[in-house]
Amino acid sequence: MSPDPQIDTDLWPLVQLLWEYLALTEAPRSVDVIFVFGSRDLAVPAWAAELFHEGHAPLVLVTGSYGRMTRDVFSKPEALVFRDHLVKAGVPRSAILIEPVATNTLENVRLGVETLRQVGRMPATALLVAKGFVMRRCVATFAKQFNDIRVCACPPDGGVMTPLDRKPIEFAARLVAEIDRLERYAESGDIRVQEIPLVVRKAARRLTAQIAS
């Protein structure tokens, strides 16, 4: 997608910098469950299906109700939409658990893990699959809420321009907001405190000034 004329071209490297900080990515490994966070991005269930077929886990847990970006798009909760895509991609329905109530990342983690616990599949390890820019927060939430579960960050492959489901200037604002959420949610005790490099903070401030102008 071409840079938005509302954002100076020389500021796009700042968007890339924020993305690279937020979109934690690790090589997938064998785990107990593929833990999928609902969203509007259908690359997420596609990637989760690929991880399943590669044999990284025998079970997929999908969590999510409706969000601001999906309430007027999906006819049913994100977890059910993602389940349908997983099934279409060849994942056996018997290998999929759903949690269709969670409305935010903290609830995704707590209710998703509780769903696994209730069926006797409490995991020791998990691959976390979500859209890239929320990946750091997903990992930080697990670290605070269930630090005994070893997680691996596995967002769909793709750079900063791939997941744009809104105007570029809105996407830049969303990345800046994600930095703010990391700080606020750490203060509230929802996630583990994150070390935010000064260069990332400066990039967020510059983007904020540009967006406000």
Side-chain angles (χ1 to χ4, degrees):
M1 182 176 290
S2 301
D4 191 315
Q6 293 177 273
I7 300 179
D8 293 341
T9 302
D10 62 352
L11 293 182
W12 276 95
L14 303 180
V15 175
Q16 179 71 39
L17 193 156
L18 294 190
W19 173 270
E20 291 176 354
Y21 172 71
L22 294 169
L24 291 179
T25 304
E26 302 173 78
R29 52 180 180 262
S30 295
V31 294
D32 297 324
V33 64
I34 299 169
F35 195 104
V36 184
F37 293 78
S39 68
R40 184 176 173 177
D41 190 349
L42 296 180
V44 173
W47 177 232
E50 188 171 335
L51 291 169
F52 177 85
H53 290 307
E54 289 175 356
H56 292 294
L59 184 67
V60 181
L61 179 285
V62 187
T63 169
S65 179
Y66 292 100
R68 185 176 62 85
M69 301 296 291
T70 58
R71 185 167 298 280
D72 297 326
V73 177
F74 294 161
S75 61
K76 51 189 173 183
E78 296 161 1
L80 299 180
V81 173
F82 277 24
R83 180 196 59 191
D84 292 347
H85 280 268
L86 287 165
V87 171
K88 288 179 181 178
V91 179
R93 190 176 289 264
S94 60
I96 305 170
L97 289 176
I98 60 168
E99 184 294 298
V101 176
T103 59
N104 57 55
T105 303
L106 179 60
E107 290 182 356
N108 289 140
V109 172
R110 287 178 171 173
L111 298 179
V113 170
E114 181 58 27
T115 298
L116 291 163
R117 190 197 312 273
Q118 288 177 357
V119 297
R121 303 294 294 270
M122 186 66 181
T125 55
L127 295 184
L128 305 188
V129 184
K131 55 189 179 183
F133 67 85
V134 301
M135 202 75 257
R136 177 175 287 275
R137 180 154 51 91
C138 292
V139 171
T141 304
F142 259 95
K144 182 68 174 184
Q145 303 297 321
F146 299 99
N147 64 2
D148 55 334
I149 300 176
R150 289 181 289 117
V151 301
C152 177
C154 290
D157 187 26
V160 64
M161 303 310 286
T162 299
L164 294 178
D165 54 6
R166 62 198 88 191
K167 293 180 180 180
I169 195 167
E170 294 173 352
F171 185 69
R174 179 63 184 84
L175 296 186
V176 171
E178 187 64 20
I179 299 297
D180 177 65
R181 292 183 189 192
L182 290 177
E183 295 190 307
R184 288 191 291 110
Y185 295 170
E187 290 175 359
S188 67
D190 293 347
I191 71 172
R192 177 174 289 176
V193 175
Q194 300 295 290
E195 185 67 32
I196 303 177
L198 181 59
V199 65
V200 172
R201 294 182 183 277
K202 288 182 176 179
R205 287 198 293 269
R206 286 190 62 191
L207 283 171
T208 297
Q210 174 67 20
I211 292 166
S213 64

